[in-house]
Amino acid sequence: MTEEVFVVSAAMIPFGKHRTSSYVGLAVAPLVDALRGAGIEKSDVDAVYVGHSFGGMMTGQRICKEIGLGTVPTVNVDNACSSGATAIHEAWTAISQGLVDVAVVVGVEKLTQFGGGTLPLSPEDREVKQGIVMPAVYAMRATRYLHETEATVEDLALVSVKARKHGALNPFAQFRSEVTVDEVLGARPIADPLTLMMCCPTGDGAAVVVLVSERARNRLNTPKGMRVAASILHSGEVKEGYRDMTMPEISQHSASDAYEMAGIGPKDLDMIELHDAFSIAELVYYEAFGLAERGRAIDLLRDGKTTFGGDVVVNPSGGLLSKGHPVGASGVAQVAEAFWQLTDNAGARQVDDARWAMTHVTGGGTAGLDHGACTIHIFEGV
């Protein structure tokens, strides 16, 4: 019998340039806050899962020892941008199978260690050897999407405008000021047609969530929180030659499986935190998730259907474009946002009557794969 799993606490630090902080320094404060928020002791924790990509060996153990949290299994998870979300999936798996009752998930990353520029990719990858970088990949997607649809470069800018408007309401966001379409279009070019404001910033950050079984929730008298209705992790399908860059099939398939597991459809969602590393990503994910027909994502965007007061609020946190994208922390921060929204604790950015939330994060640019990994979660407020 599968155990029900609940997220009962969430904490994070503001994302940004924390140049003087270590991985341990970034993660300890939200770890303590999350445990306090759940009303549990260190002795109640059965396992710890830590998502990061560039923290080095034993990152999780180095964090946990600072608060005296030891002896329990501590698992370090590297799945590129999907690391934190994958760590949550592993915690959900362990609890749902009855192996543990209380799991803490930490997502943490310090990207300022690289001094700027694009993130390092695997040097053994054949496309990386030819000079591919992620902004170029998404620029190609954007170029093709603009060619095949009625979308314009102004629509790409509108995605960033929406993200910054939402992020201005989020005290944890790296960028907290609104921008205009003209400012986005006039920003420094990165990879045509993408400008700087159409690309997520690099930075540092940490987020923590606590997951429990229903049995532990009753025994420990934790907050109600939200129920994990679906947890899906897929790796990319190997496919050489032509690939439709305007339809990310790994995200499409993952979303379909998540809807089936949760017993809902895209129209039931009240909010989505999706992987908008570049502005074009949001448009193609509208279509991959079944929110819009192929080529018609712009209708949702232009008509205000994906902002506050619309059909489904996409990235109320500001998303990666505004909140920031410290790789290993992003997936956990998305779940933290869903937790605050579904427990009516999101403050000025609260989505009205939010009951269903979905989080989505992909990871890794690898030759022959759409993405290396994709993790999708669906949550229900309880």
Side-chain angles (χ1 to χ4, degrees):
M1 179 178 176
T2 301
E3 297 276 352
E4 292 278 26
V5 182
F6 300 84
V7 180
V8 296
S9 181
M12 62 183 288
I13 61 171
F15 287 177
K17 309 288 188 181
H18 300 281
R19 300 184 188 278
T20 60
S21 293
S22 64
Y23 274 75
V24 173
L26 292 168
V28 165
L31 174 57
V32 171
D33 288 345
L35 291 174
R36 287 176 177 167
I40 62 175
E41 303 294 333
K42 292 177 290 184
S43 58
D44 296 318
V45 177
D46 298 314
V48 179
Y49 300 85
V50 181
H52 66 92
S53 285
F54 302 106
M57 291 188 294
M58 299 297 158
T59 297
Q61 286 84 345
R62 297 200 312 268
I63 293 167
C64 289
K65 79 178 181 65
E66 290 299 317
I67 67 167
L69 178 55
T71 72
V72 300
T74 300
V75 181
N76 291 282
V77 179
D78 171 14
N79 227 358
C81 302
S82 196
S83 296
T86 301
I88 291 174
H89 175 76
E90 292 301 303
W92 169 84
T93 300
I95 297 173
S96 66
Q97 293 179 354
L99 301 177
V100 304
D101 273 335
V102 179
V104 174
V105 181
V106 179
V108 60
E109 207 73 79
K110 182 177 172 64
L111 298 182
T112 54
Q113 65 183 298
F114 298 113
T118 60
L119 296 182
L121 302 175
S122 174
E124 65 187 32
D125 186 273
R126 66 177 184 269
E127 291 183 349
V128 174
K129 287 181 179 179
Q130 300 301 315
I132 197 71
V133 290
M134 295 312 295
V137 171
Y138 281 90
M140 288 189 286
R141 285 181 174 152
T143 299
R144 190 67 196 177
Y145 190 84
L146 297 184
H147 173 74
E148 292 187 358
T149 71
E150 297 175 16
T152 66
V153 68
E154 286 77 14
D155 292 310
L156 300 181
L158 276 176
V159 173
S160 299
V161 168
K162 179 177 71 69
R164 290 294 194 97
K165 185 175 183 179
H166 291 182
L169 302 173
N170 185 0
F172 296 106
Q174 186 165 343
F175 294 140
R176 304 175 197 169
S177 59
E178 296 189 33
V179 296
T180 66
V181 168
D182 287 342
E183 287 174 323
V184 175
L185 295 177
R188 175 162 56 92
I190 299 298
D192 189 57
L194 303 178
T195 68
L196 182 64
M197 290 188 187
M198 298 177 190
C199 308
C200 67
T202 57
D204 314 317
V208 181
V209 295
V210 177
L211 284 74
V212 302
S213 65
E214 186 167 19
R215 179 174 55 251
R217 188 174 66 148
N218 294 331
R219 173 171 55 86
L220 299 172
N221 195 29
T222 64
K224 282 188 175 182
M226 62 184 183
R227 181 177 70 91
V228 183
S231 182
I232 298 293
L233 170 64
H234 285 322
S235 295
E237 179 183 1
V238 179
K239 186 186 297 184
E240 302 295 344
Y242 172 78
R243 186 171 228 129
D244 183 356
M245 298 187 75
T246 69
M247 176 46 68
E249 67 265 19
I250 188 173
S251 293
Q252 182 185 39
H253 298 158
S254 297
S256 177
D257 288 348
Y259 293 144
E260 182 177 358
M261 180 181 287
I264 67 168
K267 291 185 178 180
D268 295 305
L269 295 170
D270 299 299
M271 62 149 288
I272 301 172
E273 284 283 313
L274 59 74
H275 190 98
D276 60 329
F278 301 87
S279 57
I280 181 58
E282 183 160 325
L283 295 178
V284 297
Y285 290 140
Y286 287 177
E287 298 171 17
F289 296 162
L291 301 174
E293 298 294 328
R294 290 293 302 271
R296 301 314 310 175
I298 54 174
D299 296 335
L300 295 181
L301 181 69
R302 293 173 180 176
D303 294 343
K305 300 293 188 181
T306 56
T307 188
F308 297 100
D311 294 340
V312 55
V313 183
V314 175
N315 291 337
S317 71
L320 309 188
L321 287 169
S322 184
K323 183 177 61 185
H325 186 28
V327 177
S330 292
V332 183
Q334 289 180 334
V335 174
E337 180 68 20
F339 174 80
W340 290 321
Q341 292 288 350
L342 297 190
T343 57
D344 199 27
N345 283 293
R349 64 190 187 282
Q350 179 66 51
V351 176
D352 292 339
D353 301 320
R355 180 188 174 194
W356 290 99
M358 184 168 84
T359 64
H360 156 267
V361 61
T362 61
T366 305
L369 301 178
D370 170 27
H371 277 106
C374 178
T375 314
I376 288 184
H377 288 93
I378 293 177
F379 303 98
E380 181 185 18
V382 294

